[in-house]
Amino acid sequence: MAAELDLVVRARRAVVDGREVPAAVGVRDGRIAALTALDDAPPARETVTLEDDEVLLPGLVDTHVHVNEPGRTEWEGFATATRAAASGGVTTILDMPLNSIPPTTTVAHLRTKQDVARGRVHVDVGFWGGAVPGNLADLEPMHGAGVFGFKCFLLDSGVEEFGHLEPPAFALAMKETARLGALLIVHAEDGRLLDDGALRGASYAGFLASRPPEAEGAAIELVIAQARETGGRAHVVHLSSAGAVPALRAARAAGVDVSVETCPHYLTFDAEHIPDGATELKCCPPIRGAANREALWAALAASDVDFVVSDHSPCTPDLKRRGGGDFGQAWGGIASLQLGLPAVWTGARAHGHTLVDVVRWMAEAPARRVGLGHKGRIAVGADADLVRFAPEETFTVDVSALHHRNPISAYAGRSLRGAVRQTWLRGVPTADREPGGQLLRRGRR
């Protein structure tokens, strides 16, 4: 084995198989080939020993990222998004099908995205397809081409080239994805329950009132009903309202295949502390009150929420500040791909959770749900995607130091705990190297 191993990483603390333990991780040809006790580390061409204040984590898997390229590359692109991901300990992302032009709603559009991304990504990248009005016949070919599932909206998506599904069309999409065995992921807000009349320019309270939790609850009930009726696989993205958790819990107890994610911003911020005009914190569905945030933490602890992903949704600064702080006009989305791990760890630590929990929420569970069993865990046979993390190091977010394309962030000036000091993708450091990421297909390693 000495001649065969390329790398051994020794760590006094490593998150392995649901525990934090001392371990030595041996890498051969990009995969984990050996996992031993710390003092039994086999020889290798290179051995790295982590410092006492560092923990070895598996690379995170972020299944909710808007890269926006091509078409809106000035918002974000594959090179910048994946460099930010690697710097934040994320080694696999799935790109959302909208905000790029063209959107990923046909095989031809998928090929366009893949061609743009190829050779430019610093982490591994897979793709969601889109389910929009008029493309029902395109779902099967895209499924065959390797998308990881299909994204749809139940209300206006915010971009005209990606239409939303009314309930009858959603039912057809759910039936088709059930037939294919594909995952249908849903932006679940009921547009009929929004109240645009509540919007009052720079008032955050007005914006919050315009998108009530009832809109999420009603849409999630529709998702549950269709998943139950068709036997399909459904996933609710970016849950902001903890009030929907009991319905999701009951559905799963009854055997409905429905999962749910939340995002770092819903676990970090609260409506009571968002100033008027602070449109850098605008997202849809909105950040709700502190009691709701605490209920989301409780739902994570109880496994009623499955995992945490970024919903990295960047734009140019002028779009975020459009209208001079008017919540009705500013783009809704939060760029956080590089900051998700420290943001969640800061909150998790304060709530009595461990890095084992964070790894489950941000690596293991999302990888498992989308069929990437060789990602998100430190295990023999898995990809050697590893993160050198200093959990007690604190820093203040400086947007000019982030790798996101545009220097704007809801976290600007915020103190966070936990620093990523090194990331390996398949056993090779991601820093200061040419893009080494691969384009992923569902069902293929």
Side-chain angles (χ1 to χ4, degrees), residues 84 87-89 336-347 388-404 409 411-421:
S87 296
S336 62
L337 184 54
Q338 188 170 336
L339 298 171
L341 175 56
V344 172
W345 169 237
T346 299
R388 185 176 195 156
F389 185 64
E392 297 307 314
E393 182 176 331
T394 60
F395 67 99
T396 300
V397 176
D398 175 2
V399 293
S400 68
L402 300 177
H403 292 292
H404 305 154
S409 171
Y411 294 89
R414 194 173 186 90
S415 177
L416 297 177
R417 185 178 296 272
V420 174
R421 292 179 176 169

Side-chain angles (χ1 to χ4, degrees), residues 373-386:
H374 59 293
K375 297 285 191 182
R377 59 197 183 102
I378 296 176
V380 172
D383 283 2
D385 300 343
L386 304 169

Side-chain angles (χ1 to χ4, degrees), residues 282-327:
K282 178 184 176 180
C283 56
C284 300
I287 295 165
R288 305 192 189 277
N292 180 82
R293 181 191 60 199
E294 295 309 301
L296 288 175
W297 277 110
L300 266 177
S303 298
D304 287 328
V305 171
D306 297 275
F307 49 84
V308 183
V309 288
S310 69
D311 187 11
H312 178 69
S313 185
C315 67
T316 54
D318 61 302
L319 293 178
K320 256 300 179 189
R321 297 167 184 147
R322 189 168 53 192
D326 186 324
F327 279 96

Side-chain angles (χ1 to χ4, degrees), residues 339-362:
L339 298 171
L341 175 56
V344 172
W345 169 237
T346 299
R349 183 180 181 276
H351 284 81
H353 295 293
T354 68
L355 284 170
V356 171
D357 299 317
V358 172
V359 165
R360 183 173 69 254
W361 299 330
M362 302 187 77

Side-chain angles (χ1 to χ4, degrees), residues 58-77:
L60 305 189
V61 177
D62 192 335
T63 57
H64 195 149
V65 178
H66 294 270
V67 175
N68 305 331
E69 188 176 20
R72 291 190 175 97
T73 310
E74 69 275 16
W75 294 17
E76 190 70 278

